[in-house]
Amino acid sequence: MSAFSDFDRACMARALRLAANGRYAAHPNPMVGCVIAQEGEIVAEGWHAVAGEAHAEINALQAAGDRARGSTVFVTLEPCVHHGKTPPCTDALIGAGVAEVVVGAEDPNPRVSGAGFEALREAGIRVRTGLLQPEAEELNRGFIKRVTAGRPRVRIKIAASLDGRTAMASGQSQWITGPDARADVQEWRAASGAVMTGIGTVLVDNPSLTVRDPALDLHGRQPLRVVLDKGLRMPVSAKMLTLPGKTVVYCADDGKRGPLQDAGAEVVKAPVRHDGLIDAGWVLDDLGKREVNDVLIEAGPTLAGSLLEGGHLDELVIYQAPHIMGSETKAMFRTPEWTRLADRLALDITDLRRVGTDLRITARLKD
C-alpha cells in the first residue's frame, strides 16, 4: 500500500464528513462521500444524499466537469460496479478519465467487494485503498453488518434515572428525561431503518415511533415501525397506525390478523423462544431481508432483557436524568438471575456527553 500524504488524509476526512450528510435519507444504501482533487487542490465534492438518486462519485464528477480528467478521486467506500437503481460508478469514473482513485474501505456487498477496484485497475486507473479505513467502516457499521451477517445493527435507547430506573411500578415513564434528550432521540430514529418496541410499551404509552423534527430531512421516509406482540393484543386504535409510514407486527399466531391488517399494519407470524417470547433473532433476520441496516430499540425491560440475553444488542444509548426514582420501579433490563460478579456483561463506553440537563452514555458490549 502506498503511503498517504497529509493532503490525502485531509481529502478523505472531508469525504467522510460529506458522507454523513446522507445519514437520514441514503438508507438502505451506505453513506458515501467523494472529493476530487487536482494538483493539491480540491476542485469538486459530492455525497450520496437519497436512496435511488445519484451516488457520491456521480455528484462529484458532475460538479468537477472537465476538471475530473487526470484527477485524484477520494471516495469513502469502494465504487459500485453493478447496475442497481443507478449505473455503475466505476463506468462514470473511467469515462471521466480520472487518473487515480483513493478509497477508504472495501464494499463488503458480494456484488461489489473487490470488483470495483479490479474494474478501475483494468482501465488503467491507479487505486489505493485503506485510507482512514476504521472511520470509513464505522460510518456504515449497520450496512456492513447487514450485507455480511444478514441482519441489522441493533441499538437500544434507554431513558433512566440516576439509579437506573426506567418507569414507575404502574408503567408510567413520560417523561424521565428532559426535552433536549427527547430531541436527541429524534436523530437516532431518523438515522435508523426501523424502530422496534414491545406490545407492553404500546399498551402503556401508545407511542408514535415516528420522526417528527422537520429539521431532519428524511425526504419523505419514515423508519419502519416494528412491534413484537406474541398474543396479537395490538389495538386497531394505536396511534402509530394512523401515521405516515409502515407498521409491522410480529406475533405467534396470526389467525386474528384481519382487523390489524385492515387498519394498515402488516402482521407476520414469528417463532417463539423456549421462554415464550417472540424470537427476536428471527425478527432481526427478517428485517435484514427487508434491507434494514440499523434498528433502534425503544422498549421496556422485558424486550430489552431478551435482546441483551440473546446477544443481539450492538450498542446502548442511555440517557440518565439527574433524579432518583427509588426501588419500587422498573429496571432497564429484565434478565435471568445473575448471582455472581462473573455474570456481568462488560461494556466499552465510546461516548459520554451532556444533553441538556441529562447525561448521554453510548456503549458497546465487549466481545
Side-chain angles (χ1 to χ4, degrees), residues 10 27 33 57-58 74 129 155 168 210 276 279 285 289 292-293 308 322 326-327 333 349:
H27 183 276
E57 299 93 318
I58 305 304
F74 297 85
T129 65
R155 175 186 289 122
M168 305 307 293
T210 55
D279 187 339
D285 287 338
K289 296 173 184 175
V292 172
N293 294 334
L308 185 70
S327 59
F333 301 95
I349 294 178

Side-chain angles (χ1 to χ4, degrees), residues 31 35 59 64-65 71 87 96 107 121 144 158 162 200-201 210 234 254 277 283 311-312 332 356 367:
M31 292 174 278
V35 164
N59 288 326
S71 67
D107 189 337
R121 289 183 175 120
I144 291 171
I158 299 174
L162 200 59
T201 299
T210 55
M234 178 93 165
D254 59 356
L277 298 176
V283 171
H312 301 310
M332 297 184 191
D367 293 338

Side-chain angles (χ1 to χ4, degrees), residues 157-242:
K157 182 276 296 182
I158 299 174
S161 61
L162 200 59
D163 54 341
R165 317 308 285 183
T166 60
M168 305 307 293
S170 65
Q172 181 186 6
S173 62
Q174 297 179 336
W175 297 102
I176 291 176
T177 53
D180 293 308
R182 297 198 294 275
D184 197 54
V185 171
Q186 289 283 304
E187 296 193 33
W188 292 115
R189 285 186 187 175
S192 302
V195 181
M196 180 190 295
T197 194
I199 185 59
T201 299
V202 174
L203 295 177
V204 172
D205 293 338
N206 194 19
S208 299
L209 302 186
T210 55
V211 178
R212 297 181 294 278
D213 185 346
L216 304 175
D217 189 1
L218 280 73
H219 290 262
R221 180 187 73 85
Q222 282 287 341
L224 182 70
R225 298 182 289 268
V226 176
V227 180
L228 271 56
D229 179 11
K230 176 187 172 184
L232 215 56
R233 295 184 290 156
M234 178 93 165
V236 296
S237 59
K239 185 190 302 182
M240 68 177 71
L241 297 179
T242 68

Side-chain angles (χ1 to χ4, degrees), residues 21-32:
N21 290 331
R23 185 179 184 209
Y24 305 130
H27 183 276
N29 295 340
M31 292 174 278
V32 182

Side-chain angles (χ1 to χ4, degrees), residues 225 236 240-241 245-248 258-267:
R225 298 182 289 268
V236 296
M240 68 177 71
L241 297 179
K246 183 177 181 179
T247 300
V248 181
L260 272 180
Q261 289 189 156
D262 292 343
E266 178 185 351
V267 180

Side-chain angles (χ1 to χ4, degrees), residues 60-312:
L61 288 171
Q62 289 177 346
D66 292 340
R67 293 177 296 177
R69 186 162 299 278
S71 67
T72 297
V73 176
F74 297 85
V75 61
T76 57
L77 193 68
E78 178 181 2
C80 65
V81 72
H82 63 284
H83 283 271
K85 293 182 179 178
T86 58
C89 290
T90 50
D91 288 357
L93 291 165
I94 294 167
V98 307
E100 180 182 29
V101 176
V102 181
V103 178
E106 180 177 332
D107 189 337
N109 188 335
R111 301 174 68 187
V112 180
S113 186
F117 299 148
E118 183 179 355
L120 294 172
R121 289 183 175 120
E122 287 181 351
I125 296 173
R126 183 186 184 201
V127 177
R128 289 187 291 158
T129 65
L131 177 55
L132 301 186
Q133 181 176 339
E135 293 84 350
E137 291 177 342
E138 178 63 31
L139 188 67
N140 287 299
R141 188 175 289 270
F143 170 79
I144 291 171
K145 184 177 179 183
R146 175 174 67 81
V147 299
T148 57
R151 60 173 56 176
R153 173 173 60 172
V154 182
R155 175 186 289 122
I156 189 166
K157 182 276 296 182
I158 299 174
S161 61
L162 200 59
D163 54 341
R165 317 308 285 183
T166 60
M168 305 307 293
S170 65
Q172 181 186 6
S173 62
Q174 297 179 336
W175 297 102
I176 291 176
T177 53
D180 293 308
R182 297 198 294 275
D184 197 54
V185 171
Q186 289 283 304
E187 296 193 33
W188 292 115
R189 285 186 187 175
S192 302
V195 181
M196 180 190 295
T197 194
I199 185 59
T201 299
V202 174
L203 295 177
V204 172
D205 293 338
N206 194 19
S208 299
L209 302 186
T210 55
V211 178
R212 297 181 294 278
D213 185 346
L216 304 175
D217 189 1
L218 280 73
H219 290 262
R221 180 187 73 85
Q222 282 287 341
L224 182 70
R225 298 182 289 268
V226 176
V227 180
L228 271 56
D229 179 11
K230 176 187 172 184
L232 215 56
R233 295 184 290 156
M234 178 93 165
V236 296
S237 59
K239 185 190 302 182
M240 68 177 71
L241 297 179
T242 68
L243 300 171
K246 183 177 181 179
T247 300
V248 181
V249 180
Y250 290 91
C251 64
D253 182 358
D254 59 356
K256 301 181 294 181
R257 64 184 176 183
L260 272 180
Q261 289 189 156
D262 292 343
E266 178 185 351
V267 180
V268 178
K269 185 177 180 180
V272 175
R273 302 193 325 172
H274 62 86
D275 57 3
L277 298 176
I278 293 289
D279 187 339
W282 187 92
V283 171
L284 292 172
D285 287 338
D286 189 61
L287 293 177
K289 296 173 184 175
R290 295 171 185 261
E291 296 189 315
V292 172
N293 294 334
D294 295 270
V295 176
L296 181 66
I297 309 297
E298 298 190 36
T302 300
L303 178 53
S306 173
L307 291 163
L308 185 70
E309 180 194 0
H312 301 310

